[in-house]
Amino acid sequence: MAAGTACGNCGGSCRVELRRVAGMLKGRSGIERRMGGSDQRRWGNWAEQRAQRLLRAAGWRVVARQWRCRWGEIDLLLAKPERLLLVEVKGRRRCGADGWGVAALDRRKWRRLEVTYGLWLAEHPSHRHSSLELVCALVPLPPAKGPVRWVRWG
């Protein structure tokens, strides 16, 4: 359906919405549309890399980064002897209603991560005896300044 065409079911009110969406997507490639825009993905990668650098400096070894399955994604999974650290990274430019991303850590998100980690572990059984700790890295994005905040989760 073209951006200026009504669907016929609503009497033409969808035409405005189609124009708005078409305007938002104008100039974006197909991959950018599917990923929610290149800037959002770029800043998410930047936040994950910042958290990863800090953890590697503290002696953690990266086991998985951006591991995906149909249930979700593991942002970072790091290891020390007999220990795994699963890191959910939230990057924000400012502290908003979600408190730098803390509000996104709800029961639904926890369940999805639990299933995702279970699938990852099924593919990597050598880690099944490692203890697991789950943390959230709250990373301020530029122009915000400040340290990464670490929140134990679960």
Side-chain angles (χ1 to χ4, degrees), residues 15-27:
R15 186 177 303 135
V16 173
E17 182 64 13
L18 285 170
R19 281 191 186 130
R20 186 182 72 77
V21 171
M24 287 175 15
L25 297 178
K26 186 177 180 180

Side-chain angles (χ1 to χ4, degrees), residues 8-125:
N9 296 326
C10 66
S13 64
C14 68
R15 186 177 303 135
V16 173
E17 182 64 13
L18 285 170
R19 281 191 186 130
R20 186 182 72 77
V21 171
M24 287 175 15
L25 297 178
K26 186 177 180 180
R28 288 187 178 176
S29 68
I31 189 74
E32 288 174 329
R33 277 183 245 134
R34 286 189 299 278
M35 296 183 79
S38 63
D39 282 347
Q40 182 179 8
R41 192 75 190 143
R42 190 175 313 126
W43 283 116
N45 286 334
W46 183 89
E48 288 175 9
Q49 289 170 2
R50 183 171 177 201
Q52 179 181 315
R53 280 192 307 271
L54 292 170
L55 290 165
R56 288 185 69 199
W60 290 93
R61 178 180 54 86
V62 176
V63 175
R65 183 167 186 263
Q66 296 179 348
W67 188 89
R68 291 180 178 91
C69 69
R70 66 179 285 191
W71 299 106
E73 176 186 39
I74 294 174
D75 292 339
L76 292 171
L77 188 61
L78 301 104
K80 281 188 175 180
E82 303 301 316
R83 293 172 59 196
L84 287 175
L85 182 68
L86 194 153
V87 183
E88 177 68 16
V89 179
K90 296 295 177 192
R92 299 290 189 270
R93 292 191 189 282
R94 64 187 184 290
C95 183
D98 69 346
W100 291 103
V102 174
L105 307 176
D106 58 12
R107 185 178 298 266
R108 196 173 116 231
K109 179 68 173 178
W110 171 259
R111 180 67 184 135
R112 287 178 64 188
L113 266 178
E114 188 176 50
V115 171
T116 302
Y117 173 71
L119 292 171
W120 180 88
L121 196 57
E123 286 187 9
H124 303 87

